[in-house]
Amino acid sequence: MTDQMNQHYIVYGGDLSYFSRKLESAMVFYGADFESVPKTAANSQMLEQRTGTHQVPVLGTPEGWMIADTTPIIQMLDGRFPGRRMFPDGPLGLLVHILEDYFDEWIARTMVHYRWHYEESALCASERMGRGDARLAAKFRDWGPRACRATGTENTFQQDQAESEYLRIMENAEAQLNQTAFLLGDRPTAVDCVFLGSLRAHTNMDPIPKRQIAPYTRVIEWSETLADRWDGTGDLRPFPESTPFARSILGEIMETYVPYIRGNARALTGGHKAFVVETYGQDVSYLCRPYPEQARQMIQWRISQLLSSTVQAEVSQWLHKTGLTECFEAR
């Protein structure tokens, strides 16, 4: 690990980017030597040519690679910083992966809603993202509501329910962080990285959600100072019990994310552009997207390729008990 800590990395992204701040949090936890560089007009063509995507973040590695997609990036970095892994080995790593996937592919939509459905937040974020370019800022404000429609938060009922779901997460995180240093125990995982991404890029940054989460003082203190003080020690709560926070998120996953991920998978198989599933008791239309299915298959691959047959049997029982079999069991 010492050699890796002396190697320099670059995180290309933005301070208002959910996934950029997720990766930055991971880099801090690894103890890596890195710098954050904004994606701008000057470097965007190079980054997009090198990675084949317009999305951020992009990780520039010491050997000159340019890599996109935070989950595989973190898995790669786990191999370089084995004493500070964000995905633990065994079935606990599977639990972390499922929880991280929910924050990546479901809670991200709530962050988009918070930013673009409230005029105060939209103006604040777009002006910052536009860096003084009024036309670019207006382009961001035009894109935001369209992204909200695609991810099912167009009507006010869905918006209110999405916020309630996030505030339940905040309440459970507040309780957990008063008991343990991190969300799954006394050392961080990829779940902490992505939750910090939501706080640092969105809800503790944009004015409307910032006021909503103000009562959760422990979470805010953790985000602003405490999380980054990790010294590399501590244990995680064991699988399958884990922490009350983890169990609360599994409950949320069953109510909202499982129907969505199954509906998206069926729509992709059928070649459809959109699909409808029930969310918070309403039928909601979503744009069909390939990536959530790729993310689901990463979890299935973890089960089939990284777990022994004995552990796979244990995991199969757990998935059945938690109602996640159809979604995540390896086929």
Side-chain angles (χ1 to χ4, degrees):
M1 186 175 76
T2 302
D3 290 343
Q4 285 298 331
M5 291 177 70
N6 293 328
Q7 299 289 317
H8 188 67
Y9 294 82
I10 303 174
V11 176
Y12 295 94
D15 60 358
L16 295 187
S17 162
Y18 186 86
F19 293 104
S20 296
R21 302 308 294 271
K22 171 190 175 184
L23 181 57
E24 288 174 358
S25 297
M27 298 302 284
V28 170
F29 290 145
Y30 288 129
D33 174 15
F34 80 100
E35 63 179 310
S36 295
V37 174
K39 182 181 178 181
T40 65
N43 61 26
S44 61
Q45 183 177 4
M46 177 274 292
L47 293 173
E48 291 170 16
Q49 286 179 343
R50 293 286 305 276
T51 63
T53 181
H54 67 279
Q55 295 178 337
V56 293
V58 170
L59 181 69
T61 71
E63 57 267 63
W65 301 345
M66 293 289 179
I67 312 171
D69 193 343
T70 56
T71 299
I73 287 173
I74 292 173
Q75 291 172 335
M76 178 200 75
L77 291 169
D78 275 355
R80 298 185 174 202
F81 300 92
R84 291 176 172 245
R85 296 174 62 90
M86 296 295 107
F87 288 100
D89 290 328
L92 188 54
L94 171 65
L95 173 61
V96 168
H97 201 158
I98 290 173
L99 299 181
E100 183 231 23
D101 187 53
Y102 163 80
F103 280 98
D104 276 1
E105 304 303 324
W106 185 251
I107 294 303
R109 71 195 272 278
T110 306
M111 302 300 101
V112 173
H113 149 66
Y114 267 132
R115 176 157 291 165
W116 302 114
H117 277 145
Y118 288 105
E119 184 177 4
E120 183 181 358
S121 290
L123 285 170
C124 180
S126 63
E127 289 174 2
R128 188 165 178 171
M129 293 162 74
R131 297 188 179 89
D133 185 332
R135 286 184 296 181
L136 183 57
K139 187 176 180 180
F140 282 121
R141 290 195 297 275
D142 180 63
W143 170 85
R146 290 187 283 114
C148 293
R149 285 195 296 275
T151 53
T153 61
E154 186 172 17
N155 71 57
T156 56
F157 177 79
Q158 289 297 313
Q159 294 164 20
D160 290 344
Q161 292 300 308
E163 291 181 18
S164 294
E165 183 175 358
Y166 189 71
L167 292 177
R168 286 194 300 272
I169 293 169
M170 289 292 296
E171 182 176 353
N172 285 305
E174 180 84 356
Q176 188 63 57
L177 293 171
N178 277 313
Q179 299 296 320
T180 55
F182 295 94
L183 296 171
L184 272 65
D186 290 319
R187 63 186 296 128
T189 69
V191 179
D192 298 280
C193 298
V194 68
F195 187 51
L196 285 166
S198 76
L199 291 162
R200 292 172 172 175
H202 288 268
T203 52
N204 202 30
M205 179 75 77
D206 294 350
I208 298 299
K210 187 179 179 81
R211 292 197 286 270
Q212 285 192 10
I213 71 168
Y216 303 102
T217 56
R218 183 66 174 182
V219 174
I220 294 169
E221 182 185 19
W222 177 75
S223 170
E224 292 179 346
T225 60
L226 297 179
D228 291 347
R229 295 177 183 174
W230 182 50
D231 63 2
T233 64
D235 296 316
L236 296 170
R237 299 299 184 266
F239 177 88
E241 292 82 6
S242 191
T243 60
F245 177 84
R247 296 194 296 273
S248 74
I249 299 302
L250 289 172
E252 299 287 357
I253 288 172
M254 277 302 303
E255 292 295 321
T256 57
Y257 188 51
V258 164
Y260 166 78
I261 202 70
R262 290 171 56 188
N264 187 70
R266 289 193 296 267
L268 282 169
T269 300
H272 304 300
K273 292 184 178 180
F275 62 98
V276 174
V277 294
E278 185 178 295
T279 306
Y280 312 125
Q282 279 188 342
D283 284 344
V284 178
S285 176
Y286 296 90
L287 181 68
C288 188
R289 296 190 299 124
Y291 191 81
E293 178 60 14
Q294 294 174 27
R296 183 173 78 106
Q297 291 174 5
M298 287 184 207
I299 293 172
Q300 293 175 324
W301 182 89
R302 175 178 290 276
I303 296 170
S304 65
Q305 300 300 313
L306 299 185
L307 302 179
S308 69
S309 57
T310 301
V311 175
Q312 285 184 36
E314 178 187 1
V315 162
S316 180
Q317 294 178 353
W318 174 75
L319 289 172
H320 179 75
K321 182 179 179 180
T322 54
L324 299 176
T325 297
E326 188 172 349
C327 223
F328 296 119
E329 187 162 56
R331 303 296 180 185

